[in-house]
Amino acid sequence: MKVGADGARVAFLRSSGAFDPEAALWLHEVASGEEHLIAPGPIDSYAIDHEARVAAFTRGGRLFRADLVTGEVTAIPTGDPVHDPRPDPHGLQIGYVIDPDRSASLRVTGPDGDRLLAGEPGNAWREHGGSIAWGVAGAGAAEFGRTRGWWWAPDGNQVLAVRTAASNSLHLLDLDDGWVDVHWDRETYPHLAQVRWSGGAPLITVLRRMQQHGLVLSVDPRTGETQVHAELADARWVEPIPGTPRHLPDGRVLVGGELAHDGFDARCLFADGSLLTPPGLYVRRVAGLLPRPGGEAGAPDLIVEGSRDDPSVWEVYRVRTSLGGGGPEVTRLPGASRDVTTGGDVLVAGDQVWRDDQRIGSLRSLAAALPYRPEPVLERVTDRCLPAAVLYPAGFVGGGLPVLVTLGRGPGDQQVWAEDAAWQERQWWADAGFAVVSVDSRGTPGVAPSFEKAIHRRLADVALADLVDALRALTGKHPELDLTRVAARGHGLGGWLAALAVLRRPEVFRCAVAREPVLDWGDLPRPIAERYLGDPSDSAHIYRNHSLTEAVAEAPRHGPVLLVGAELPGLRSTPAASLTEELAFLQEVVSSPER
């Protein structure tokens, strides 16, 4: 979903369902409420100019330009399949990437033709033998939530691009072939976590290797020199807030940070050091800006997604950016859901279009209705107030039930949500005869920074202790839970934890299914492994404590574990398995007499 800066048009992809690959490009006219099909699917990726007058998109690797005002679509010939196309802010030229999996190059096409802006095809890192890439996110970027590798300047005359070789570097490219490097101490701060260029100078966040210290830097677009705007520090790891840093209209720089003194334990927003959000609001994302009703033109409100009081509820708030004597001022936007988008005085939340906190229209949805109407029972359990939930089979009236603990994809993947969509697959498992239990153990976002970071260098021990304690606490209100028949399942790091639960706590967990589990933390991308476990060169014992290979060797007796997409001696494995096959495995174990 993308909204033009004048709030007149909304561009979006629409399909007939969540798994429909034929997503088409549509336009919503805010004033009239009319919708227009711009281009049929399947659309691979798309982007718009500043005011949503022009879109660039790809279909099957071919590049197209769409005039969103007239609806005219033009195919643009290129020599290679195109990726990540983006029109400049004025809609005159389109930049794109070719060959992103090897020696990626960044090209620009426009009225003056198509030309190479940056690329070194055929060259290789002398010290590593890998390819040099321009315009792709680069190694480690995804672990910080950065999915892009290049950005247009607000005036459309420059491009800021990542060059990936032995490490990531950043460069300012003029369209007349001049360029300068962006200067920072890349040896001390090797991680390029965040980049934004939406007004003023570019802003970047860089982190030390262990992620316990970072800098928010502004970049001089003429020289590439950088200036420190803020320092980020935490004894465990720094957690930047998506949507930051960014320039506010009055020139201040918005930065996400944490309050961890004087009794505070909060994830907040600051503008040049001034607190903008109250400690009671856990900030998850900054979505954009909206004019303040009756306020000054240069002092808009921030639109912030976060949780207040209840981590299972994700809400949208207006946050005052102008300084006042009454402290932070926050107003919840009723009816607005997560993943909102703003432009001009328009906000789009899901399929609803808002202006001045009033719903003025909606986007037609072709998605099928959700198949289930789950009713999970949400709780806060143990003295650590762990968010937890129990989901019963539809129509359940009583009796003992085997328990299935769902673990998602591991730390950072919140499971306990007050949203029907989050429980659809889990209701399928419940209707198969399980009481499905989900626990947001320490390490999960949404509660507080200290809760999230308590797992530092001891994730396995903390997470398993929380799961066991939560299960035992839940039986007080849910005597239907048969704790002699507990299974677990998860994917990735969640699969790792599911298998580890059976190996380390066999008195509680009888069996598990682990999809594509992490067998050894040393195989993970370095930013992920080091964020949680530290430097492997001085923490070898911690990595061993988190290794499934070591856990199998040390576990004399344990229940069955099914690894899907992975192999480990001593555990059953299969290259692939359907949910039905998973179910058959778990039912066979939990229905058999305890061994």
Side-chain angles (χ1 to χ4, degrees):
M1 195 81 62
K2 305 178 192 301
V3 185
D6 59 2
R9 287 165 292 279
V10 180
F12 63 99
L13 296 180
R14 170 186 281 144
S15 65
S16 60
F19 303 103
D20 180 7
E22 300 293 318
L25 179 62
W26 287 77
L27 185 78
H28 175 86
E29 299 278 0
V30 173
S32 65
E34 295 179 354
E35 292 182 358
H36 308 283
L37 174 64
I38 300 299
I43 304 296
D44 303 325
S45 63
Y46 81 105
I48 62 172
D49 67 346
H50 187 59
E51 294 190 352
R53 292 180 174 273
V54 171
F57 66 90
T58 59
R59 182 193 295 124
R62 296 180 61 201
L63 177 62
F64 296 84
R65 180 187 187 276
D67 187 317
L68 299 180
V69 177
T70 66
E72 181 182 1
V73 175
T74 306
I76 300 177
T78 59
D80 297 276
V82 169
H83 302 265
D84 194 21
R86 297 182 182 275
D88 71 40
H90 306 298
L92 300 176
Q93 304 187 88
I94 297 173
Y96 62 92
V97 174
I98 60 171
D99 198 17
D101 297 324
R102 294 188 293 274
S103 300
S105 298
L106 183 60
R107 302 187 67 90
V108 173
T109 183
D112 297 328
D114 187 295
R115 62 191 181 89
L116 177 70
L117 189 60
E120 301 166 65
N123 291 327
W125 312 341
R126 293 178 180 176
E127 65 271 35
H128 295 287
S131 299
I132 295 174
W134 281 86
V136 295
E143 280 68 48
F144 300 105
R146 182 172 61 80
T147 59
R148 295 178 55 181
W150 70 278
W151 300 261
W152 281 107
D155 63 8
N157 292 325
Q158 282 181 298
V159 164
L160 183 63
V162 175
R163 178 182 184 269
T164 301
S167 61
N168 292 334
S169 56
L170 202 57
H171 308 268
L172 286 153
L173 312 174
D174 294 331
L175 297 190
D176 61 4
D177 296 327
W179 66 301
V180 296
D181 301 332
V182 176
H183 301 287
W184 81 91
D185 186 349
R186 291 194 288 120
E187 184 173 344
T188 303
Y189 297 93
H191 295 310
L192 179 62
Q194 296 168 306
V195 179
R196 176 175 293 275
W197 199 359
S198 58
L203 293 170
I204 65 175
T205 302
V206 296
L207 301 175
R208 289 179 180 265
R209 177 181 160 186
M210 291 298 110
Q211 303 169 51
Q212 294 167 335
H213 189 268
L215 301 174
V216 175
L217 305 172
S218 65
V219 181
D220 187 324
R222 298 167 301 171
T223 66
E225 297 298 328
T226 56
Q227 176 182 351
V228 177
H229 265 288
E231 292 192 43
L232 309 173
D234 190 280
R236 295 146 302 184
W237 73 83
V238 168
E239 188 74 40
I241 293 177
T244 67
R246 70 169 65 212
H247 280 106
L248 297 177
D250 61 7
R252 290 177 297 160
V253 175
L254 182 73
V255 175
E258 296 171 4
L259 283 178
H261 57 80
D262 296 332
F264 292 122
D265 186 9
R267 199 164 185 228
C268 303
L269 296 173
F270 302 84
D272 283 0
S274 297
L275 181 66
L276 292 185
T277 54
L281 174 61
Y282 182 98
V283 177
R284 296 179 181 270
R285 172 178 174 257
V286 177
L289 297 166
L290 280 182
R292 185 174 181 81
E296 300 177 6
D301 287 342
L302 283 172
I303 302 302
V304 172
E305 298 174 7
S307 299
R308 204 171 189 176
D309 302 324
D310 186 351
S312 71
V313 179
W314 187 308
E315 297 178 305
V316 181
Y317 299 86
R318 276 185 177 268
V319 177
R320 185 183 65 180
T321 59
S322 60
L323 297 176
E329 182 180 318
V330 174
T331 305
R332 187 175 71 89
L333 297 181
S337 61
R338 68 172 75 189
D339 297 328
V340 302
T341 307
T342 66
D345 60 352
V346 169
L347 177 146
V348 181
D351 60 358
Q352 303 299 310
V353 182
W354 300 73
R355 173 179 285 141
D356 293 334
D357 302 344
Q358 298 293 320
R359 190 170 64 184
I360 60 172
S362 61
L363 308 179
R364 184 167 52 93
S365 176
L366 303 180
L370 295 176
Y372 299 107
R373 296 296 297 271
E375 297 181 355
V377 182
L378 275 58
E379 313 271 7
R380 299 294 291 273
V381 298
T382 80
D383 59 351
R384 296 183 288 279
C385 294
L386 303 171
V390 179
L391 183 64
Y392 291 105
F396 177 72
V397 294
L401 287 172
V403 176
L404 176 63
V405 178
T406 60
L407 298 171
R409 294 178 177 267
D413 185 11
Q414 191 171 337
Q415 292 287 291
V416 181
W417 291 109
E419 301 173 357
D420 284 353
W423 298 93
Q424 296 298 305
E425 183 180 300
R426 281 176 277 185
Q427 187 66 62
W428 181 88
W429 285 98
D431 290 348
F434 289 94
V436 176
V437 171
S438 298
V439 179
D440 285 340
S441 57
R442 284 172 291 174
T444 308
V447 177
S450 64
F451 186 92
E452 189 172 349
K453 298 177 181 179
I455 60 173
H456 189 235
R457 298 169 67 91
R458 57 192 189 116
L459 169 59
D461 299 331
V462 169
L464 289 178
D466 283 355
L467 290 176
V468 172
D469 290 349
L471 283 170
R472 291 170 175 165
L474 283 168
T475 58
K477 291 185 178 181
H478 302 273
E480 303 86 359
L481 303 183
D482 184 352
L483 294 194
T484 68
R485 297 186 291 161
V486 179
R489 69 180 298 267
H491 186 282
L493 283 174
W496 161 80
L497 187 59
L500 198 66
V502 175
L503 298 172
R504 293 272 174 85
R505 301 302 299 266
E507 79 282 7
V508 177
F509 295 91
R510 287 188 63 178
C511 60
V513 173
R515 281 189 174 270
E516 300 180 359
V518 174
L519 305 180
D520 189 326
W521 277 69
D523 296 332
L524 283 171
R526 177 181 286 180
I528 290 289
E530 294 181 344
R531 177 184 305 160
Y532 295 122
L533 304 190
D535 188 344
S537 65
D538 59 19
S539 306
H541 63 293
I542 296 175
Y543 280 75
R544 286 195 299 270
N545 186 52
H546 289 73
S547 167
L548 276 186
T549 305
E550 295 285 340
V552 170
E554 295 170 358
R557 294 186 61 189
H558 58 80
V561 176
L562 174 63
L563 304 183
V564 181
E567 294 184 7
L568 197 59
L571 301 181
R572 179 177 168 182
S573 64
T574 179
S578 66
L579 291 183
T580 303
E581 290 169 330
E582 276 193 49
L583 175 62
F585 169 80
L586 295 175
Q587 286 179 327
E588 179 184 1
V589 177
V590 298
S591 63
S592 64
E594 188 171 5
R595 301 171 184 176

